Amino acid sequence: MPNTDLPSEQAAEFRRVLARWYKQHARALPWRETRDPYRIWVSEVMLQQTRVNAVLEHYARFLRKFPTIVSLALAPEADVLAVWSGLGYYRRARMLHKAAQFITAELDGVLPSTSVELRKLPGIGEYTSAAIASIAFGESIAVVDGNVERVLLRLTGRPEETTSESKRFVAEQAAVLVPQRRSGTNAPGDHNQAMMELGATICLPKGPLCLQCPVYDFCLTKGEHKTEAREKMRSRRVAYLLHQRKRGSAIEVMLHRRPTDASLMPGMYELPELPLEGAGEHTPTLRVRHSITNTNYYVEVFTADKTLVRELPLSIRDYEWCRLGQLADLPLTGLARKVLRRLHLIASPGVRMPQPEAVMHRKR
């Protein structure tokens, strides 16, 4: 057993207290209501660097479209990206798709059941392999995400440090706490989910709810711990053009498809970007803010006229016209989807679209 600041008898009591709290207070989430390894895998990939509330809608829609590994493997990549659109970090969707294809072609459509074998799949790293193996198959292995790391650092009274020694320490603490597999239960999977739940709902980065914490008596920090300074968010102003036309009874929107070899979001559709100076004195139709990693984008969307169309950096032939009814099924960037929803050109979940004539009338 590795050296640890939590004695073994204290670790056992910690597990009992945490398990009792989790049983009573765990959020009802759809991926906790299934033992299907595929569905658990999809949820773990979606939850990487993404809030639970943002995942819920996409998780349900993704599984309606691709209910099995085989259905995902057989789908065109563009369809996978379209359903994923809005979650960001699109490499996750591409790797999920590639892994499904590998499983179907090489493993008879069966997801491996151990963390070691899972690591061999495209896009599955240390965290994801441990999460699937533990939650879906009951392997006694620690799962360490940002929430778990924060809980363990506070429990042991240590500051946050981005060093290999600090990472090793956290991994050792997590490993000591994970229970062994027991017949008839999934103690390792439940424990790992309880640790993540504690960090997500109680042991918050700012203003932790210590008085509600079930393991408060075990904690050496009892509050926020010392953290390294975060990189300051950058700001960038960008402009896009909304250009529509009517062809017969159909309304079309002009979009730009990013090159397939682009380093960021290859093959995704977006509104045509305008040079900021090209917008001139025009008044934006819409202003939104959109954040990607460490940058806040302050976005202005302009409705097209002849002057603005001439400012586009590419030839008009380099853009594509897409029917209004097809927009929701395209692999749109998250920003494009947000803008088109705000302009009522794509329906938000549960919202009925207005008739096309009404949309055009507002844009005239």
Side-chain angles (χ1 to χ4, degrees), residues 136-148:
F137 299 107
E139 182 176 332
S140 183
I141 184 172
V143 178
V144 180
D145 67 355
N147 287 321
V148 173

Side-chain angles (χ1 to χ4, degrees), residues 160 162 206 226-232:
E160 176 186 289
T162 52
K206 298 292 183 183
K226 184 179 179 182
T227 60
E228 293 184 338
R230 304 296 186 193
E231 182 180 357
K232 186 177 180 180

Side-chain angles (χ1 to χ4, degrees), residues 23-43:
K23 187 175 181 179
Q24 296 174 350
H25 298 282
R27 289 170 294 177
L29 299 172
W31 45 86
R32 291 178 178 165
E33 298 169 0
T34 180
R35 298 300 301 273
D36 182 351
Y38 168 63
R39 290 172 177 254
I40 292 169
W41 172 30
V42 169
S43 73

Side-chain angles (χ1 to χ4, degrees), residues 104-122:
T104 300
E106 304 293 337
L107 303 176
D108 296 325
V110 178
L111 190 69
S113 61
T114 68
S115 57
V116 172
E117 292 301 313
L118 286 162
R119 283 290 297 272
K120 298 176 182 178
L121 298 177

Side-chain angles (χ1 to χ4, degrees), residues 103-175:
I103 293 167
T104 300
E106 304 293 337
L107 303 176
D108 296 325
V110 178
L111 190 69
S113 61
T114 68
S115 57
V116 172
E117 292 301 313
L118 286 162
R119 283 290 297 272
K120 298 176 182 178
L121 298 177
I124 295 188
E126 182 178 0
Y127 164 79
T128 307
S129 63
I132 299 169
S134 170
I135 297 168
F137 299 107
E139 182 176 332
S140 183
I141 184 172
V143 178
V144 180
D145 67 355
N147 287 321
V148 173
E149 179 180 6
R150 182 170 60 255
V151 168
L152 292 171
L153 290 175
R154 287 174 176 170
L155 281 171
T156 55
R158 289 174 64 109
E160 176 186 289
E161 297 173 335
T162 52
T163 63
S164 58
E165 194 281 329
S166 179
K167 183 177 180 180
R168 177 194 60 78
F169 175 83
V170 168
E172 289 181 351
Q173 304 306 302

Side-chain angles (χ1 to χ4, degrees), residues 332-360:
L332 298 166
T333 67
L335 173 57
R337 190 169 293 271
K338 177 188 289 187
V339 167
L340 292 169
R341 279 181 172 172
R342 295 282 181 89
L343 293 171
H344 307 295
L345 298 174
I346 292 180
S348 296
V351 176
R352 172 176 282 186
M353 284 290 293
Q355 293 300 311
E357 291 79 6
V359 175
M360 288 297 291

